Amino acid sequence: MLFVKSNLHVMESHLKNLFFLAAVFCLVLLPANAAHAQQFDLSGGVSTVTGPASTDQLQTVGGGAYIDFGMDFLFFHNFGVGFNAAFRANQNLLEGVQPFRPFFYDVDAVYAPPIGKRAQAVLSAGIGAESIHFYTPIVTCSLVSCTNVVTSNHFLGQFGAGFRFYATPRIFIQPQAAYYLIHNNVEFSGSHAARFGVSIGYSFKNQE
């Protein structure tokens, strides 16, 4: 029961941090660009991650379902900035023994030109981090909480592409892909990974 409470606490803390980053992203960028804002989008969906095949020593980071969250501001001729996050829905086992869960974050430059009136391409490139949460049998406690999680973070570069189809003037469906170049990804069998998925989003000001 203690481990369950600890895992739930970690997930709650992680989601709070995610929404805090997203809120800061909005508060900093929206006022600065309000006078020239063309489009503000929010999206969420599911995806999966692939990576180099497992070796005798190291396993792949790939596999499993991921929960995605994304947002972007387009404020100058279809150019803007974006924020994306994805975390594995369920824990995986490292070498069949160590439970872990990967998270991916990135902040990007975005170019999203319209394709006719009901579609839009989305291209992005930026930087972020792979954050791997390892769940251990040892629980450590502070004055406010207890946790059994050890985190390993790695810097990454991200290149992404997607295609938005507007089912309505505001609601869109977006197939998407992201390619990660991960620095010093020593826990897994390679220094790169790819994520493929589909999101549903809402555009607060769709381009005409």
Side-chain angles (χ1 to χ4, degrees):
M1 181 63 69
L2 181 59
F3 290 122
V4 172
K5 290 182 178 179
S6 176
N7 289 345
L8 290 175
H9 174 78
V10 170
M11 287 299 298
E12 180 182 0
S13 176
H14 196 84
L15 289 172
K16 285 181 180 179
N17 290 338
L18 173 59
F19 287 121
F20 174 76
L21 289 172
V24 171
F25 187 83
C26 291
L27 292 173
V28 170
L29 293 175
L30 184 57
N33 297 296
H36 305 286
Q38 295 180 357
Q39 189 169 337
F40 170 44
D41 306 295
L42 290 173
S43 63
V46 294
S47 61
T48 191
V49 168
T50 65
S54 300
T55 67
D56 292 338
Q57 292 78 32
L58 297 170
Q59 77 178 53
T60 179
V61 70
Y66 281 70
I67 307 300
D68 307 339
F69 171 78
M71 61 190 304
D72 63 66
F73 289 96
L74 304 178
F75 53 84
F76 182 74
H77 297 294
N78 304 311
F79 285 94
V81 292
F83 171 79
N84 294 284
F87 62 93
R88 201 177 195 275
N90 297 310
Q91 295 179 19
N92 197 1
L93 288 177
L94 187 65
E95 304 302 329
V97 177
Q98 177 67 63
F100 74 96
R101 189 196 308 264
F103 296 76
F104 295 92
Y105 307 92
D106 50 89
V107 177
D108 312 296
V110 178
Y111 177 55
I115 304 173
K117 292 185 177 181
R118 302 296 291 267
Q120 187 176 26
V122 183
L123 303 175
S124 64
I127 58 174
E130 175 196 53
S131 180
I132 311 162
H133 289 194
F134 294 99
Y135 300 87
T136 75
I138 301 174
V139 177
T140 58
C141 296
S142 64
L143 293 176
V144 294
S145 64
C146 295
T147 182
N148 66 323
V149 176
V150 176
T151 303
S152 177
N153 298 307
H154 303 290
F155 177 83
L156 63 78
Q158 188 274 157
F159 300 91
F163 179 82
R164 290 175 181 166
F165 172 75
Y166 284 87
T168 75
R170 299 286 184 178
I171 299 172
F172 60 84
I173 299 171
Q174 179 175 302
Q176 58 197 4
Y179 185 75
Y180 301 114
L181 295 172
I182 307 167
H183 177 68
N184 199 32
N185 199 30
V186 295
E187 291 88 356
F188 302 108
S189 57
S191 59
H192 60 88
R195 184 169 57 85
F196 304 93
V198 177
S199 295
I200 297 176
Y202 187 87
S203 177
F204 284 85
K205 190 175 181 182
N206 186 26
Q207 293 178 335
E208 299 297 335

